[in-house]
Amino acid sequence: MAAKDNKQSHVESNSRRDFIKNSGLTLGGLVLGGAFGGLLNVNSKSKADSADNKSNKPQLTANPNVALMFFTQEEYNLTQAAADRIYPADDNGPGAKDLNAAIYIDHQLAGSYGINAKDYRFGPYYEGRETAGTQTKMLRKDIFLTGLKALDTYSQKHFKDKFTALDTEKQDKVLTAFSEGKVKLYGNVPSTEFFGLLRSLTIEGVYADPMYGGNKDMLGWKMRKYPGSRMNYNQEIMSEKFVTLEPQGLNSHMNH
């Protein structure tokens, strides 16, 4: 009886799979992928994997930590361009763009930091002085997105092109205007709020542990000769000579 049930279950499973495949099941006008795609193509994938295993072609593995979690591609490109002017490449090493600082910013805004989870967010609200710090009801993620839109609007108005299409000199002029509070964002938020976020997050993205998305290949640390996230320096501090250490990230400790 159990064998019969298993056989019937297998037949029903194949029937459902064929129905989904043949009916072209869609969600929002797009053919379902992901888990459904794996379900529908399990047999063909196994054959393909077997063929790949027999070949000597190198297998490329993507870094999942570089995937966008918050920005659209256009917002990411704009953030990348702006961050690269905050921390440009020079003779000392790469800039924010090559160090994946924009990925770090994306991940931070996608998490609790972006929604001010640890901040006191209840009223009453008063119009504070400039020396009182941030005095807006807007969340960091909303301030940042509003600032990105304003960058393009300001660039179009003053230089007849979007920010990413401007040369570096004009990009610097746009960012200078934002840093000096000469632009008003949506909700009457001063542009200094956005610029402050952009600047601090860019620097964090250059020097934070690579497990947070930025500081690609620990190059930010290498420029500073910083040894990274090591558990201790007991052996090194006993040496009479200066000890040069290769940077080490948090992931290296987790892998051991």
Side-chain angles (χ1 to χ4, degrees):
M1 186 67 179
K4 183 178 180 181
D5 289 342
N6 290 336
K7 183 177 181 181
Q8 183 178 358
S9 175
H10 179 70
V11 171
E12 290 177 352
S13 176
N14 284 336
S15 298
R16 287 194 298 270
R17 186 179 301 156
D18 291 339
F19 169 76
I20 294 173
K21 184 187 296 183
N22 294 332
S23 63
L25 185 62
T26 61
L27 179 63
L30 299 175
V31 177
L32 285 173
F36 275 96
L39 173 67
L40 300 179
N41 298 299
V42 62
N43 292 329
S44 60
K45 185 177 187 299
S46 297
K47 294 178 181 178
D49 288 344
S50 298
D52 286 341
N53 289 335
K54 294 179 181 179
S55 70
N56 294 320
K57 294 181 180 179
Q59 301 297 312
L60 300 179
T61 55
N63 181 358
N65 206 31
V66 179
L68 294 179
M69 299 178 180
F70 179 72
F71 292 136
T72 63
Q73 187 63 48
E74 185 176 357
E75 291 165 348
Y76 170 72
N77 293 341
L78 184 51
T79 301
Q80 193 179 54
D84 210 45
R85 296 313 305 150
I86 300 294
Y87 194 99
D90 58 19
D91 294 339
N92 295 313
K97 179 179 179 179
D98 292 327
L99 290 169
N100 281 353
I103 291 292
Y104 172 87
I105 296 174
D106 170 85
H107 291 190
Q108 291 301 305
L109 296 178
S112 59
Y113 178 82
I115 59 173
N116 300 65
K118 295 184 178 181
D119 295 351
Y120 181 84
R121 302 293 298 166
F122 300 99
Y125 296 95
Y126 299 99
E127 184 176 350
R129 297 180 179 180
E130 293 183 1
T131 54
T134 302
Q135 297 292 313
T136 176
K137 299 178 185 179
M138 290 181 68
L139 301 175
R140 292 188 186 99
K141 65 181 184 68
D142 296 324
I143 293 175
F144 204 93
L145 291 181
T146 300
L148 289 181
K149 291 180 180 178
L151 276 181
D152 263 347
T153 300
Y154 188 91
S155 299
Q156 291 281 4
K157 180 179 179 180
H158 293 271
F159 299 106
K160 310 302 180 185
D161 214 337
K162 57 184 181 180
F163 183 83
T164 53
L166 301 179
D167 60 40
T168 56
E169 183 179 352
K170 291 178 180 177
Q171 287 179 341
D172 288 348
K173 289 181 178 179
V174 173
L175 291 173
T176 298
F178 275 69
S179 70
E180 295 175 350
K182 295 180 178 179
V183 185
K184 284 292 182 182
L185 308 184
Y186 173 81
N188 208 34
V189 176
S191 57
T192 51
E193 292 285 350
F194 164 70
F195 182 82
L197 272 178
L198 172 65
R199 183 180 183 277
S200 61
L201 286 172
T202 296
I203 295 173
E204 289 173 21
V206 168
Y207 294 118
D209 192 282
M211 74 178 300
Y212 297 107
N215 190 10
K216 183 180 179 181
D217 298 330
M218 293 181 278
L219 292 175
W221 288 348
K222 290 177 181 178
M223 285 190 286
R224 295 279 184 173
K225 294 182 172 55
Y226 176 64
S229 307
R230 292 177 175 268
M231 302 303 290
N232 63 69
Y233 301 92
N234 291 341
Q235 297 297 323
E236 290 76 15
I237 61 176
M238 299 300 293
S239 174
E240 295 182 359
K241 297 181 179 180
F242 181 80
V243 179
T244 301
L245 299 173
E246 282 296 311
Q248 196 174 84
L250 291 172
N251 276 333
S252 63
H253 302 299
M254 298 171 65
N255 293 333
H256 284 84

